[in-house]
Amino acid sequence: MTLRVAMLSRWHVHANEYCGSINRNPAAQVVAVWDEQPERGSAWAAELNVPFIADYVALLSREDIDAVCVVAPTNMHRDIMVAAAEAGKHIFTEKVLTTTVSEAREVAAAVRNNNVTFCISFPRRCLPELKYAKQAIGEGLVGQVTLVRIRVAHAGSSRDWLPAHFYDLEACGGGAMMDLGAHGMYLARWLLGKPKRVVSVFCNITERAVEDNAVSVIEFENGAIGVNETSFVAYPDSYSLELDGTEGGVRMLSPRDGVEIRSDHLEASGWNKVEELPDRSASPIDQWISGCLDGTAIDFGIEEAVQLTELMEAAYRSHALGESASV
């Protein structure tokens, strides 16, 4: 059986990547396109040699479409995904799920009530370097985790290569934190558990309509602190993890530099290069396709998607109020 997928918009910068990943998977195929900008959608459909369907409601009614890949503007996610779930279509979506918790819960209810397979794109949870940090916590090598610092940043604004619509506050719901900072949010939630409150400082270096330089500090119920740093105005590119605990720590200055650990539970003192990392997990798209067709487990489903929106809404509320916000 082949999973027949419709691409819903080319708005996001990862739309082409997801489309290519679907078509490279022997068990799936892109069979239709919709876009909120018909000219853009028609051109993409012609490139892919598939039909362009101007009305997504009509698209969702078609029996020759099994699933949708949602890469539309974030403020359209709720309506599109609720309609898709009610039409019985499986859903893959770019992060974030929605910009408000109330909308996220509406999507979650529709997904659960209609028993469709759902996956959100959390690609950095698939990486061996990040999986090792989770493994070290589980094996007790760091004791009680006290702090995780994650930095994911690039120069998309300062070097002007992001598309102009990424600065549309209404469509995006935010800037650097909403987009790139989502990685740090879902990684911190995965590593540290349930959050209590968030304090944010967002700045605007390039004077666009959304923030381009941002930090959120998260207090977790277990007493750990997460520091999520992100930017569209960094020297390209920054991607690092620091994890501290009462009995050890893990650090990754960049994936190219590998992962190091120090621990009371190791014979060697100081920082030690980790030579054996966990295997890379299947990509989010491939997990989703397998989940749709074979019922296999997906590492990041609707619960994790809602959790990301909970953190993100609190982060933006904190910045707006100038004080901490509960999650």
Side-chain angles (χ1 to χ4, degrees), residues 1-326:
M1 179 179 176
T2 299
L3 186 73
R4 299 165 297 181
V5 182
M7 297 300 302
L8 301 190
S9 183
R10 205 179 195 175
W11 177 84
H12 199 276
V13 293
H14 292 314
N16 291 342
E17 173 189 340
Y18 296 143
C19 181
S21 295
I22 292 165
N23 281 334
R24 285 192 296 272
N25 188 308
Q29 183 178 5
V30 172
V31 297
V33 166
W34 167 85
D35 198 297
E36 73 280 5
Q37 294 186 10
E39 184 176 345
R40 181 176 64 194
S42 296
W44 197 18
E47 290 176 28
L48 298 170
N49 195 29
V50 300
F52 171 72
I53 302 170
D55 180 355
Y56 76 78
V57 176
L59 179 151
L60 293 172
S61 70
R62 292 177 60 137
E63 294 185 0
D64 58 349
I65 294 172
D66 307 307
V68 294
C69 179
V70 180
V71 232
T74 310
N75 67 333
M76 300 183 73
H77 278 194
R78 182 267 173 207
D79 290 350
I80 290 172
M81 285 190 267
V82 168
E86 291 178 346
K89 308 303 183 187
H90 305 302
I91 301 168
F92 180 92
T93 185
E94 172 60 17
K95 45 75 182 162
V96 297
L97 178 63
T98 57
T99 58
T100 68
V101 174
S102 61
E103 287 189 340
R105 289 173 179 162
E106 289 175 343
V107 173
V111 166
R112 290 170 177 141
N113 290 342
N114 293 281
N115 197 32
V116 298
T117 300
F118 176 93
C119 180
I120 192 167
S121 186
F122 287 0
R124 298 184 193 235
R125 277 188 49 178
C126 301
L127 302 182
E129 297 82 3
L130 280 301
K131 289 177 67 177
Y132 181 78
K134 181 73 169 178
Q135 177 183 308
I137 295 171
E139 292 177 352
L141 293 176
V142 299
Q144 180 179 351
V145 182
T146 54
L147 180 117
V148 167
R149 174 181 172 266
I150 301 161
R151 179 167 180 79
V152 183
H154 61 52
S157 291
S158 52
R159 303 202 177 190
D160 206 24
W161 54 257
L162 279 173
H165 58 252
F166 262 50
Y167 308 114
D168 183 331
L169 179 59
E170 181 179 358
C172 301
M177 184 58 71
M178 186 65 70
D179 178 64
L180 199 57
H183 296 293
M185 288 298 194
Y186 68 68
L187 288 171
R189 182 67 169 81
W190 179 52
L191 294 170
L192 297 178
K194 190 173 181 180
K196 287 178 62 177
R197 65 187 179 109
V198 182
V199 178
S200 296
V201 176
F202 297 168
C203 298
N204 196 322
I205 304 297
T206 58
E207 299 182 353
R208 290 178 166 96
V210 296
E211 84 283 353
D212 55 25
N213 200 28
V215 176
S216 290
V217 179
I218 310 158
E219 178 189 5
F220 288 82
E221 288 193 346
N222 59 11
I225 294 172
V227 181
N228 179 21
E229 304 174 5
T230 192
S231 182
F232 287 165
V233 291
Y235 187 83
D237 290 313
S238 298
Y239 178 19
S240 61
L241 168 81
E242 297 175 35
L243 186 153
D244 266 329
T246 55
E247 298 167 20
V250 175
R251 70 182 181 187
M252 179 195 74
L253 299 180
S254 77
R256 292 184 300 274
D257 296 321
V259 180
E260 295 179 302
I261 185 169
R262 58 181 178 181
S263 172
D264 290 343
H265 303 279
L266 299 177
E267 292 184 7
S269 61
W271 288 105
N272 299 274
K273 183 75 173 288
V274 179
E275 300 296 342
E276 294 187 13
L277 295 173
D279 292 336
R280 180 186 291 264
S281 298
S283 73
I285 280 282
D286 289 340
Q287 287 191 35
W288 176 63
I289 292 169
S290 178
C292 291
L293 295 176
D294 304 319
T296 53
I298 293 171
D299 291 335
F300 11 85
I302 192 62
E303 181 178 356
E304 289 80 7
V306 173
Q307 289 170 355
L308 172 58
T309 294
E310 290 171 344
L311 268 172
M312 203 64 79
E313 184 186 79
Y316 277 85
R317 191 166 68 250
S318 169
H319 170 66
L321 297 174
E323 59 188 35
S324 68
S326 60

